[in-house]
Amino acid sequence: MVLDKNFLWGGATAANQVEGGVLEGGRKLSNIDVLPFGEDRRAVSLGEMEMLEWKDGYYYPAKQAIDMYHQYLEDIKLFAEMGFKVYRMSLSWSRIFPNGDEEEPNEEGLLFYEAIFEELKKHGIEPLVTIAHFDVPIHLIKEYGGWKNRRMIEFYTRYAETVMQRYKGRVKYWLTINEINILLHQPFVGGGIVFKEGDNKEEIKYQAAHHQLIASALATKIAHEIDPDNKVGCMLAGGSHYPYTCRPEDYQEAIRRDREGYFFIDVQARGKYPNYALKKLAREGLNIHMEEQDKAILAESPVDFVTFSYYCSRTVSAHAEDYEQATGNIFPSIKNENLPSTEWGWQIDPLGLRNSLNQLYDRYQKPLFIVENGLGAIDTPDETGYVSDDYRIDYLKRHIEAFKDAVEIDGVELLGYTTWGCIDLVAASTGQMSKRYGFIYVDRDDEGNGSLKRTKKKSFEWYKQVIASNGEMLE
Ligand code: BG6
């Protein structure tokens, strides 16, 4: 058997993409709740268009999402039926601290997740909890400007400490901030940042990044103090960059682009700013305020393990303008003719997953965890509601083969694998329901119509067999 008997198989979701119930149980709005469906979504995500409340004339998919807030019992039962060993989920920050800057948490919010952990325990499923998955309470944006403000460190660590204390013994695996490098690409989504005219955007983004990195290190420290059994991970939006040609300048561009993301993980895993980042900040005149104690905070608490999402690789060149671009992803990439694409233009590259695992393991020498991977596709149910998603099975099978090779042939240390959107959910980039990832079909469309009924897809039985055989039976 290639994989360890304790290998953590499962699936992943994020609160804002599944829960709904956004104003229930004392919860208040967060950044992702106000991302509208439609063409303005992009401008809001980038922090170029201010939208800090629901406005007439827009549809907001997070409002009800797939209603997991009310249907989690049924959903967890289905995860258990597939044999999940782990369920990656996130907590909604504004369910626990509705404004974000209160002294005391919202008990009803804490109880909601307590019930979920209880249910998971009943089924022998280990929770893997992301503390902030594209999640900033709106009040913290209106009042403090989101993560560009250093006070966010205090609010975030209070929140982290509260949940770590409360769920001690129930949750052992924590991720501090989802896809932390997204902050550079979608500042409102990643950091609750809305730009004003004349802003030095690059400086603001790196200042916010510094605050997140300090907050993440402090949360790691707190986790270890509360319970030495706690394991804390960082989380990278992964996918390495290929040079389009073997011209040295294309390879150099690939290194530069990889470093945009590695910057965060270098700090979180190694405990200090890498030299290339310090040089960049100085060269570009980005004046980042750092306090006396910051170096020590970072050095003191590196993460225990490194996690990442992987959907596709990217291809770059020093002469990108000469080539056709791939579509549909926030990370710019040249179209790689060697690879097929999904219906959203994301290029399918299972071997790229093995390459990424190797790069990350060589770089950090820490256990890895693939916490997102999957195929966003249009599913068409038959007259009984059943979806024969052989394309999804094929995608996942090839990626599982690739990570098994990374373990067996390359010796990479891999803790587990959680497929993204194990149940259909709202797509983060587009707000669509029609971009489906799940083993479980949810009857809901892009405009919010549908019964929300759950139906197992063909991939459901397939994944069950994959887990039961610990990844040996992939056909
Ligand atoms: C990652 C996020 O970026 O990719 C998820 O952590 C997201 O929240 C996933 O849903 C897939 O992207 P999309 O846009 O297809 O939902």
Side-chain angles (χ1 to χ4, degrees):
M1 190 164 293
V2 173
L3 300 170
D4 188 89
K5 63 176 188 345
N6 297 319
F7 189 79
L8 291 168
W9 291 96
T13 63
N16 65 75
Q17 290 170 264
V18 292
E19 282 180 11
V22 296
L23 297 180
E24 291 180 55
R27 186 190 186 280
K28 290 192 176 171
L29 288 182
S30 85
N31 58 340
I32 217 82
D33 302 329
V34 294
L35 289 188
F37 182 68
E39 60 183 60
D40 287 339
R41 189 176 181 89
R42 193 178 138 77
V44 177
S45 304
L46 296 177
E48 304 290 354
M49 176 179 175
E50 183 174 291
M51 189 165 298
L52 300 181
E53 61 224 342
W54 290 327
K55 293 196 172 152
D56 290 345
Y58 288 97
Y59 166 61
Y60 296 92
K63 215 168 179 176
Q64 197 183 15
I66 61 159
D67 194 39
M68 203 189 260
Y69 185 65
H70 299 108
Q71 306 196 32
Y72 67 89
L73 288 177
E74 185 193 341
D75 294 340
I76 292 174
K77 204 163 154 220
L78 289 166
F79 300 157
E81 198 183 323
M82 272 186 279
F84 278 21
K85 313 271 186 229
V86 64
Y87 171 44
R88 177 181 174 226
M89 53 180 275
S90 77
L91 308 176
S92 156
W93 188 341
S94 57
R95 214 175 265 302
I96 294 172
F97 285 95
N99 286 322
D101 59 357
E102 302 91 336
E103 294 287 330
E104 296 302 323
N106 170 31
E107 180 60 21
E108 215 176 328
L110 287 168
L111 283 171
F112 171 65
Y113 293 110
E114 203 162 283
I116 290 190
F117 298 139
E118 210 34 60
E119 198 56 26
L120 290 173
K121 195 170 164 201
K122 250 197 244 163
H123 293 287
I125 301 175
E126 182 85 45
L128 166 58
V129 173
T130 315
I131 299 169
H133 189 127
F134 299 162
D135 197 357
V136 186
I138 281 290
H139 174 76
L140 295 183
I141 301 174
K142 288 186 174 166
E143 199 61 30
Y144 304 91
W147 278 99
K148 68 182 172 196
N149 190 321
R150 192 169 170 105
R151 292 209 59 198
M152 288 294 286
I153 299 175
E154 164 196 338
F155 304 138
Y156 174 89
T157 49
R158 186 183 303 151
Y159 162 46
E161 182 166 3
T162 303
V163 296
M164 286 167 174
Q165 285 286 10
R166 179 66 173 246
Y167 304 129
K168 181 176 172 179
R170 293 173 193 265
V171 179
K172 178 170 132 191
Y173 293 101
W174 300 93
L175 303 183
T176 54
I177 297 176
N178 180 63
E179 292 193 335
I180 189 165
N181 49 320
I182 282 291
L183 180 63
L184 300 181
H185 305 276
Q186 290 192 316
F188 184 71
V189 169
I193 291 166
V194 184
F195 293 112
K196 290 192 283 304
E197 217 177 306
D199 270 350
N200 181 342
K201 292 184 185 169
E202 203 64 1
E203 192 167 276
I204 288 175
K205 287 193 282 185
Y206 276 92
Q207 184 66 68
H210 182 69
H211 296 151
Q212 291 196 345
L213 291 166
I214 297 292
S216 172
L218 287 171
T220 307
K221 182 170 186 249
I222 293 166
H224 292 150
E225 282 167 359
I226 290 177
D227 187 347
D229 279 347
N230 274 333
K231 300 275 176 237
V232 185
C234 53
M235 176 6 177
L236 170 78
S240 329
H241 295 85
Y242 298 136
Y244 187 75
T245 74
C246 55
R247 279 179 299 198
E249 66 267 33
D250 283 357
Y251 181 55
Q252 186 189 37
E253 178 62 8
I255 294 175
R256 189 187 71 76
R257 286 281 302 278
D258 274 344
R259 280 178 169 171
E260 275 181 3
Y262 286 156
F263 156 64
F264 293 86
I265 312 304
D266 284 353
V267 178
Q268 290 175 296
R270 295 165 161 169
K272 62 177 180 145
Y273 271 56
N275 285 353
Y276 65 82
L278 293 172
K279 289 283 186 192
K280 172 193 159 77
L281 298 178
R283 187 174 59 248
E284 295 177 12
L286 304 179
N287 187 16
I288 307 304
H289 173 75
M290 300 188 190
E291 296 198 349
E292 189 72 26
Q293 68 276 24
D294 289 0
K295 257 192 184 170
I297 292 173
L298 296 177
E300 204 185 345
S301 302
V303 290
D304 303 307
F305 64 108
V306 171
T307 83
F308 66 109
S309 58
Y310 180 84
Y311 295 91
C312 52
S313 55
R314 308 174 220 289
T315 304
V316 297
S317 162
H319 313 280
E321 62 290 350
D322 295 348
Y323 305 101
E324 187 191 341
Q325 295 292 306
T327 53
N329 200 290
I330 50 158
F331 294 92
S333 170
I334 294 170
K335 190 158 191 227
N336 183 340
E337 298 96 5
N338 303 299
L339 300 173
S341 297
T342 72
E343 286 153 307
W344 273 263
W346 297 18
Q347 297 209 267
I348 302 173
D349 181 11
L351 185 52
L353 174 59
R354 179 172 164 195
N355 294 336
S356 285
L357 283 162
N358 275 283
Q359 285 180 329
L360 290 167
Y361 195 62
D362 285 352
R363 201 172 177 104
Y364 303 117
Q365 297 283 298
K366 291 197 188 240
L368 304 177
F369 202 131
I370 304 162
V371 295
E372 287 186 29
N373 172 238
L375 177 71
I378 293 184
D379 289 336
T380 313
D382 67 14
E383 56 293 344
T384 67
Y386 185 71
V387 175
S388 298
D389 53 346
D390 294 287
Y391 38 90
R392 183 166 294 108
I393 293 173
D394 181 62
Y395 176 99
L396 294 171
K397 172 178 161 288
R398 290 168 57 217
H399 284 78
I400 293 171
E401 280 166 353
F403 76 64
K404 280 173 64 185
D405 284 347
V407 171
E408 188 175 31
I409 303 171
D410 307 322
V412 161
E413 212 179 329
L414 186 62
L415 297 173
Y417 175 68
T418 52
T419 65
W420 177 250
C422 44
I423 180 166
D424 290 348
L425 41 67
V426 176
S429 55
T430 60
Q432 290 167 302
M433 270 305 299
S434 53
K435 189 180 189 191
R436 295 173 183 276
Y437 287 89
F439 303 115
I440 301 158
Y441 186 87
V442 177
D443 178 26
R444 187 168 177 84
D445 68 15
D446 290 344
E447 280 79 43
N449 308 304
S451 64
L452 291 165
K453 181 170 179 274
R454 278 66 166 147
T455 309
K456 298 173 203 170
K457 302 180 196 175
K458 186 173 180 183
S459 55
F460 184 100
E461 293 301 330
W462 172 82
Y463 197 47
K464 185 175 173 178
Q465 156 205 302
V466 171
I467 297 178
S469 65
N470 201 19
E472 294 293 306
M473 282 171 64
L474 297 178
E475 292 309 325

